[in-house]
Amino acid sequence: MGAEGVHLSDGSLLRRPAIVRFTDQRPPDELVQSVRAIPLAGHGVVVCRLADGTAFLPGGTREEGESVDECMSRELVEEAGFLMKGRPHWFAAHSGVSYHRVPYRPHAPFPLKAWLWGAVEGELAGPPTNPAGAEQVTSVSVLRPQDAVALLENEGRGYAQALRHWMISGAPVEF
């Protein structure tokens, strides 16, 4: 793939999906497409797994009209069966520029967008709700933060990067 993207056989250009950078600066909420969580239960980090063994930290795309806090709460219930106690501590973001021709969803920010990272305490209250059409989580574990980093190191999507950043910054959480 070149700097612009890939030239297809019909002569069209398939652009790279986005340029993304990690920052500890919180973007304006209107640029936040998705939230990602570091959910804390007891002294551990909640990590989810799919049937194929893929491990991830819960999070997902905002629904139309949904606040970032509401999105975090909904995604945690759906993917981990986790109930928040208090508000998330928003500490970092992956910010990017999309090269797609249309937004991911009609209400999503475009072409500038961000994935907001937050840590929040809470409890595992039941199994993930696994709504139809969403990832189907098969297991939820609570790991020591350093073990979660090791597990997520090769999963991509910036999970280990964000978790390490949170740990280095003193692992803050709002109550």
Side-chain angles (χ1 to χ4, degrees):
M1 183 179 297
E4 296 177 3
V6 175
H7 290 277
L8 302 176
S9 60
D10 67 0
S12 64
L13 178 67
L14 177 63
R15 294 200 177 270
R16 294 179 302 160
I19 295 174
V20 178
R21 70 180 181 92
F22 186 75
T23 177
D24 61 1
Q25 300 298 306
R26 181 173 175 170
D29 283 359
E30 60 268 15
L31 293 182
V32 176
Q33 174 177 297
S34 301
V35 299
R36 298 287 179 257
I38 296 177
L40 305 166
H43 296 288
V45 175
V46 175
V47 178
C48 303
R49 282 192 185 266
L50 302 175
D52 67 3
T54 301
F56 67 98
L57 294 172
T61 303
R62 289 170 70 183
E63 300 295 337
E64 189 169 7
E66 189 174 50
S67 74
V68 292
D69 286 14
E70 291 166 341
C71 181
M72 173 79 80
S73 179
R74 176 182 54 76
E75 289 289 345
L76 286 167
V77 170
E78 290 178 1
E79 296 181 352
F82 182 93
L83 295 178
M84 296 188 332
K85 293 181 180 175
R87 296 189 63 228
H89 170 74
W90 302 108
F91 67 92
H94 282 95
S95 296
V97 178
S98 174
Y99 285 102
H100 291 286
R101 293 182 182 177
V102 296
Y104 173 65
R105 292 195 178 155
H107 65 275
F110 182 80
L112 300 176
K113 58 185 174 180
W115 301 267
L116 187 59
W117 281 95
V120 65
E121 287 201 311
E123 64 183 352
L124 292 172
T129 59
N130 284 330
E135 300 97 345
Q136 298 301 297
V137 176
T138 57
S139 70
V140 177
S141 305
V142 179
L143 304 175
R144 294 181 318 152
Q146 59 270 34
D147 294 336
V149 168
L151 176 66
L152 297 165
E153 193 68 52
N154 296 316
E155 293 294 348
R157 300 180 119 187
Y159 299 129
Q161 178 186 30
L163 189 49
R164 274 194 305 275
H165 179 79
W166 173 76
M167 292 166 64
I168 290 168
S169 67
V173 178
E174 291 179 14
F175 295 95

